[in-house]
Amino acid sequence: MSDNNTQQQGNAVQTTGHAWDGDLQEFNNPLPRWWIWTFYATIIFSLGYWIIYPTWPYANTFTKGVGNTITFQNDAGEEVTTHWNTRSLLIKDMQTGEEATKQKAYLEKVNAASYEEILSDPDMMAFANSMAKVVFADNCAACHGPGGDLPEQAFGLYPNIADDAWLWGGTTAEIEQTITHGRNGYMPAFGKNLDDEKLEQLANYVLGISGHSVETDKAAAGEKIFQGQEGGCYYCHGADGTGLKSQGAANLTDAVWTVANVPGAVKEEDKVAAVKRVIKNGVSRQMPLWKSRLGEEQIKLLTLYVHELGGGK
Amino acid sequence: MENEQDQAVGHLYEARKSIFPRSVKGRFRDLKWGILAFAYGVYFLLPWLRWERDTGRDQAVLFDLVGRKFYLFDLTVYPQDIFWLAGLLMLAAYLLFFVTGIAGRVFCGYFCFQTLWTDVFVLVERLVQGERPARIRLSKQKWDAEKIFKIGTTHLLWMLVAFFTGLSFVLYWGDAPQLIGDFFTLQAPFAAYATALFLTATTYVMAGHAREQVCTYMCPYSRFQSAMFDSDSLIVSYDAKRGEGDKGRARAGRNLKTRETRTEAGVGDCIDCGYCVQVCPTGIDIRNGLQIQCISCALCIDACDTIMDSLEWPRGLVAYTSERQVSEGKRARLLRPKVLGYFAVLMVIVTALVWSVSHQQKFDMTISQVRQPLFVTLSDGRIQNSYEIKMNNKTGANLMLAFSLDGLPGAELDMGKFQAIILAPEQRLRLTARVRSHPDLLVGGSHSFVFRATPIKRDDLQEFMQNAVFTTP
C-alpha cells in the first residue's frame, strides 16, 4: 500500500542521498517530529526525577532529593521525618495504609473477645487463622512442621499437633498455657533398672493395651511391671494407661504414638523394638516459653490456630 | 560527501503538516453525527443513571474497586467473574476481525473514540475560527489580538471538552453525585484527580494536536486492520476509470461543462475540484488509491456526491466498493471462508459468554484440601483430612447454610461451631472443615466425595455441591 502511495502521488520518494553501485539508493521515510520531542521530554522528566528523588551515589552517601520528605512513626513511637524513600513508605503504609487500618480494627476486636466468642464467630476465626498462619510459620514450624506434623523421618522428635491427642490438654486455656510458659516433656530412662527381657514384656503390654496383637504371656508379665513398683509406669500414665495431662504423659491406649514410631513399623518385632527403645532411653523434650518472644495477642492468635489444627477440645 | 550527510540527518524527522478539514454535509456525515451524539449521550450521561437494587449501590453502571464489585444494571460482577473480561475482549477482537473482513475500517471511521473526539475538536475549531480558508489564513497570520483570541478560545474550549471527558470517566468508578461534589471541594481521592488529569491531558493532546497521527503512527488496530483486508472487503475508493477517462481529470472549463462534451474530449467525470481532499481528516487524496492513512470515514464520498448532485451527474465517483469490484468489475463476495470462520468463532464466544453470564452462580463455594499434612491419624484410629472452604454469598439476602457430606463411608464432618452458619449479603468467608473416617472402610489412596451446602428456608436456591477428595494412608 505504501508503494501505491508513493508511486501514484507522483512525487519522487525522498532518499538519504547515498548511492551505491551507481543507482542503489536508500529510501528515507522520516519519523514524525513529535517522536523526537517525546524523547527529549523523557530526558527532561529524568532531570526532574533526579532532583526530587534519591538518585546519585557520591562518596559514601547519595543525593537525598529536594523538598520531598516522608513522615512516619518509628518503633519507639516517635515521629520521624526523613527524605523520601521506599523503606519509609513501606513502614508508613504498614502503619496507616488501608489494609493496615483494617487489620488493626480486626486485631482490636479479637483482643477484646473471649476464646469462646471468637470460636463462635466465623469472621473473626477466619482472620485469626490467616494471621496466625504466618506467626506459626515463623516461630513454631521449625519444630512442629509447617502443617503441625513432622515427616516420617523425624517421627517423635516433637509432638504432632495436627491430630487430636493433646499431651498437655487441648482446651484453649491449656494451649495458651503451653505456648506462654513452655513445657518440659520428661520420661525417665528405664534401661538401668529393667533388663532386656523386662523391657520386652513391658513393650508387649503397652502395645497390647492399644489394641495390637502381642504375646499374651509376655504382656501379662509386663502388666505386673507397669502396675507394680518395679516399673511404676502407672504413676504418670495411669493404671488404665490413659495418661496424665499435668505431666504431659501420653495416653497409651489410643491409636496415636507420639514418640515410639509404631505406625512406621511393619513387622511385629519392630513395633516392640520401637516401644522398647523409648522405655529404655526415656524421653526428654522441651518446648521453650514464648511469652518472652511473642506478644499476648500473637499468643492468642496462635492458640486459636493450634486449636483449629487438630480440632481442639 | 559531508553535505550529503547533513542533508540526510536533516530529513530524519518530519514536522506535522497541519490539516484543516473542510466541513461537508451528506448522508455519511449525518450518520456519523448521529453515532457521535449517541456515543456522547451514553458516555456522559450513563454515570448519572440510578438503578434500584436489593443490595449494593444504586448507580446503574458503577465499577466499585474498593468494594471489588462491578455493577452493570441488574448484573453484579464479582472478582471471580473476571474471566468474563477475557471473553469480552475476545468478543471485541473477533467482532473487529469479522467487521473488518466484510466492511473494512468501519470501526475507525465511525466508532473509534479518536475519530469521535477529533470530530468534536474540529467542530469547535470551525465554530470559533471559521471554515477551512479562514483557518488557513489565521494560521499564517501574525500573532495579533484576533489570532490570540481565536486560538486561545479554541484551546480553552478543547480543554473544557477534554476535562469533562476525563471527569466523566472518573464518575464511573464512584458514586457520581457524591464524587463530583467531592471532586470540586478537593475531597476526592488522589486517584480521581490523577485519572481525570491524565485523561484531560491525553484527550487534549490526541484530539487537539496529534489527530490523524494517532491513526497513522500510534494505533496498532489500524495497522492490523489493514492486514485483515482482502479484495472483497468494503473500501472507500475513487472510480478512476470514470473519473479520469482517457486523458485524465480536468476542470470544468470551457467546452467541458457537460458529460457529453467531456466524453468527446476524452476527459473523465472528475472536475478536480479538490473537495474530497479538503474534507479528509487525515489529509490524503482518495484518488491516489487505497492508503494506509484512510480511516474509511466516507466524508470524501459525501463531498463528491455533493458536487455530482450540483452538476446533476450520477453519484458514485467516490464510493464504497471493493478491490474486486474495481479491478474485475465483479460484485464483492460476502460469504467467504474467512468471514464465515470469524462468524462461527464469534457465535461460539457470544454463546459461551451469554450462557456464563446468565448462569452466574448465586453462591460460590470452593474447597481445597489442606496438603500439609494430607491426613493425620486420630486417637481412635480414624483418619482426618482438613479442608479450607471459601464461600461468597451473592444472593442479596441472608443465606443460612447447613453443611454435610455425601459419598464417603463412615464420614464425620467437624466444622467446629460452624456446621450451620448464616452468611450476610455479599459476605465472603473462609472456614476450616475436618473430615474423619475409618481407614478400614476406605481401602488405600484417594476417595472422592461430595461436600454439600444446603440453603435453609430458601426455596429459590438449590443445594450447592462441590467435589472433594479424601486421602488415606
Side-chain angles (χ1 to χ4, degrees):
Chain A
M1 248 175 287
S2 56
D3 287 355
N4 282 351
N5 188 6
T6 46
Q7 281 162 14
Q8 293 187 6
Q9 270 176 351
N11 45 16
V13 185
Q14 201 184 45
T15 66
T16 52
H18 302 281
W20 294 271
D21 295 342
D23 58 352
L24 186 58
Q25 287 182 300
E26 189 184 8
F27 279 175
N28 179 27
N29 287 306
L31 278 174
R33 203 159 66 190
W34 54 261
W35 205 291
I36 198 152
W37 290 345
T38 311
F39 174 60
Y40 292 145
T42 59
I43 293 173
I44 293 166
F45 178 86
S46 70
L47 291 175
Y49 197 95
W50 293 346
I51 294 166
I52 297 167
Y53 288 96
T55 327
W56 290 104
Y58 68 86
N60 57 355
T61 177
F62 54 91
T63 58
K64 301 280 199 296
V66 176
N68 193 10
T69 59
I70 186 165
T71 305
F72 63 96
Q73 276 190 352
N74 66 8
D75 290 341
E78 295 154 356
E79 292 254 303
V80 180
T81 301
T82 174
H83 70 275
W84 191 95
N85 63 89
T86 46
R87 233 179 268 190
S88 303
L89 186 68
L90 176 69
I91 296 171
K92 193 178 177 178
D93 207 35
M94 297 293 273
Q95 288 165 350
T96 56
E98 196 182 321
E99 296 300 320
T101 316
K102 252 195 239 172
Q103 193 185 61
K104 256 181 216 156
Y106 256 116
L107 267 179
E108 275 165 25
K109 199 173 155 193
V110 168
N111 273 338
S114 70
Y115 281 119
E116 205 53 27
E117 283 166 343
I118 301 169
L119 284 170
S120 315
D121 183 322
D123 206 32
M124 273 200 271
M125 205 54 220
F127 170 77
N129 268 331
S130 65
M131 187 97 182
K133 195 170 194 171
V134 183
V135 186
F136 187 89
D138 283 352
N139 298 285
C140 317
C143 292
H144 291 290
D149 84 328
L150 289 172
E152 180 76 30
Q153 299 88 321
F155 189 95
L157 283 180
Y158 303 97
N160 180 337
I161 50 174
D163 61 23
D164 67 340
W166 298 93
L167 290 173
W168 302 93
T171 65
T172 45
E174 287 162 335
I175 296 171
E176 188 189 272
Q177 171 81 11
T178 302
I179 300 173
T180 313
H181 300 287
R183 295 292 186 187
N184 258 317
Y186 176 70
M187 169 172 146
F190 288 89
K192 273 181 272 175
N193 305 343
L194 303 173
D195 60 19
D196 194 64
E197 191 189 348
K198 286 178 175 163
L199 288 174
E200 177 100 7
Q201 290 163 346
L202 203 46
N204 268 284
Y205 173 70
V206 169
L207 280 165
I209 56 175
S210 58
H212 293 266
S213 54
V214 290
E215 293 170 49
T216 38
D217 47 339
K218 282 188 186 170
E223 181 172 10
K224 289 207 185 82
I225 305 166
F226 189 93
Q227 307 288 5
Q229 292 308 313
E230 196 175 10
C233 312
Y234 67 93
Y235 279 134
C236 294
H237 289 291
D240 55 357
T242 50
L244 190 62
K245 269 196 297 196
S246 60
Q247 296 296 318
N251 181 349
L252 301 174
T253 62
D254 64 13
V256 172
W257 295 89
T258 73
V259 186
N261 189 4
V262 174
V266 186
K267 287 180 283 184
E268 294 301 322
E269 62 250 45
D270 291 340
K271 290 182 187 174
V272 174
V275 177
K276 261 171 77 180
R277 209 161 29 241
V278 175
I279 305 171
K280 186 180 173 190
N281 299 328
V283 179
S284 181
R285 301 195 293 198
Q286 277 86 36
M287 166 152 161
L289 54 91
W290 289 94
K291 66 175 177 189
S292 56
R293 179 148 174 190
L294 299 176
E296 254 176 59
E297 63 187 23
Q298 282 174 307
I299 289 180
K300 189 170 189 176
L301 293 169
L302 268 182
T303 301
L304 290 160
Y305 183 76
V306 171
H307 185 267
E308 275 294 282
L309 272 180
K313 290 284 181 216
Chain B
M1 195 61 191
E2 221 167 56
N3 195 18
E4 274 174 15
Q5 286 276 2
D6 284 351
Q7 196 187 354
V9 172
H11 289 165
L12 286 178
Y13 302 98
E14 193 177 47
R16 174 179 182 250
K17 294 183 189 71
S18 290
I19 295 169
F20 303 92
R22 188 187 275 276
S23 70
V24 63
K25 287 196 173 83
R27 51 201 169 121
F28 292 110
R29 184 63 267 182
D30 289 345
L31 178 63
K32 279 161 64 75
W33 283 134
I35 291 170
L36 192 145
F38 177 73
Y40 267 44
V42 170
Y43 177 73
F44 287 100
L45 297 179
L46 198 55
W48 299 98
L49 185 64
R50 310 314 287 179
W51 202 258
E52 288 280 321
R53 276 191 195 92
D54 294 341
T55 50
R57 319 279 286 271
D58 60 350
Q59 186 164 315
V61 175
L62 175 68
F63 304 114
D64 183 3
L65 285 183
V66 178
R68 285 160 177 68
K69 279 184 280 288
F70 290 176
Y71 300 99
L72 299 161
F73 304 100
D74 277 334
L75 181 70
T76 306
V77 183
Y78 293 81
Q80 296 90 329
D81 303 321
I82 196 66
F83 64 92
W84 288 347
L85 181 64
L88 200 66
L89 291 174
M90 279 195 280
L91 178 69
Y94 277 95
L95 191 64
L96 187 71
F97 302 161
F98 175 66
V99 170
T100 306
I102 294 179
R105 290 173 63 175
V106 279
F107 172 75
C108 299
Y110 295 82
F111 301 100
C112 178
F113 42 81
Q114 175 65 23
T115 303
L116 297 183
W117 260 263
T118 303
D119 264 3
V120 169
F121 274 49
V122 172
L123 177 70
V124 167
E125 198 176 78
R126 177 157 61 85
L127 292 178
V128 175
Q129 302 173 14
E131 194 49 271
R132 176 180 150 95
R135 302 211 298 274
I136 295 175
R137 204 182 318 118
L138 190 69
S139 78
K140 288 179 184 156
Q141 202 168 312
K142 266 198 296 217
W143 280 97
D144 56 12
E146 187 205 4
K147 184 167 179 175
I148 290 170
F149 172 74
K150 283 188 173 170
I151 300 282
T153 310
T154 309
H155 283 258
L156 200 68
L157 289 171
W158 281 356
M159 279 187 204
L160 266 178
V161 176
F163 174 69
F164 279 109
T165 304
L167 183 63
S168 290
F169 181 83
V170 169
L171 296 182
Y172 282 89
W173 306 83
D175 184 60
Q178 158 102 44
L179 185 56
I180 204 159
D182 288 350
F183 194 93
F184 289 109
T185 50
L186 301 178
Q187 289 165 352
F190 171 75
Y193 294 104
T195 311
L197 186 71
F198 179 75
L199 276 170
T200 303
T202 50
T203 308
Y204 172 72
V205 171
M206 298 304 163
H209 296 275
R211 293 196 179 167
E212 81 289 345
Q213 303 197 89
V214 174
C215 312
T216 317
Y217 297 113
M218 304 179 200
C219 180
Y221 302 107
S222 71
R223 284 302 158 104
F224 73 64
Q225 280 187 82
S226 315
M228 323 230 56
F229 274 41
D230 56 30
S231 52
D232 290 302
S233 303
L234 213 54
I235 52 167
V236 174
S237 184
Y238 167 66
D239 187 347
K241 216 184 287 170
R242 179 184 154 194
E244 305 288 318
D246 296 330
K247 293 185 182 162
R249 58 188 83 135
R251 291 192 167 271
R254 211 143 44 105
N255 300 329
L256 291 175
K257 289 219 157 46
T258 64
R259 292 190 82 193
E260 289 73 29
T261 52
R262 288 175 77 92
T263 315
E264 273 170 37
V267 294
D269 279 357
C270 177
I271 59 165
D272 207 10
C273 62
Y275 196 16
C276 58
V277 180
Q278 292 173 9
V279 299
C280 181
T282 67
I284 56 168
D285 185 344
I286 194 66
R287 295 170 300 180
N288 292 334
L290 186 58
Q291 288 151 76
I292 196 158
Q293 292 91 337
C294 176
I295 57 168
S296 285
C297 71
L299 292 183
C300 49
I301 302 182
D302 276 344
C304 193
D305 283 353
T306 311
I307 300 299
M308 290 295 125
D309 287 353
S310 69
L311 293 166
E312 295 179 347
W313 296 351
R315 288 180 168 189
L317 186 55
V318 179
Y320 268 117
T321 176
S322 67
E323 293 216 308
R324 187 180 298 283
Q325 178 95 42
V326 171
S327 58
E328 299 172 24
K330 289 183 198 153
R331 281 186 64 119
R333 289 179 301 137
L334 192 64
L335 301 176
R336 311 184 310 267
K338 182 172 85 174
V339 173
L340 293 176
Y342 282 147
F343 184 74
V345 176
L346 201 57
M347 282 302 115
V348 170
I349 298 172
V350 169
T351 313
L353 200 57
V354 167
W355 188 89
S356 177
V357 171
S358 58
H359 285 70
Q360 185 189 32
Q361 283 281 355
K362 283 289 179 193
F363 173 75
D364 279 331
M365 183 168 75
T366 56
I367 297 186
S368 51
Q369 190 180 7
V370 173
R371 304 196 61 80
Q372 201 171 32
L374 267 175
F375 57 83
V376 285
T377 304
L378 299 180
S379 50
D380 58 5
R382 289 188 297 168
I383 301 295
Q384 173 173 288
N385 282 205
S386 295
Y387 301 86
E388 192 183 61
I389 304 171
K390 288 180 185 165
M391 54 195 120
N392 187 9
N393 174 15
K394 302 192 278 192
T395 59
N398 273 342
L399 179 61
M400 194 172 173
L401 292 168
F403 300 102
S404 56
L405 299 179
D406 216 6
L408 194 66
E412 180 206 353
L413 174 67
D414 170 23
M415 298 183 66
K417 302 192 171 182
F418 312 130
Q419 200 101 356
I421 56 147
I422 298 174
L423 278 176
E426 318 262 281
Q427 190 180 355
R428 280 171 292 171
L429 199 59
R430 210 169 39 184
L431 293 176
T432 310
R434 289 167 295 268
V435 176
R436 297 169 191 139
S437 187
H438 206 279
D440 296 346
L441 299 169
L442 303 160
V443 181
S446 305
H447 306 271
S448 294
F449 67 98
V450 175
F451 197 94
R452 238 178 238 285
T454 315
I456 293 168
K457 291 180 198 157
R458 285 289 291 270
D459 299 332
D460 57 324
L461 296 171
Q462 289 185 319
E463 275 189 333
F464 306 106
M465 287 185 274
Q466 267 293 331
N467 291 323
V469 170
F470 188 87
T471 312
T472 52

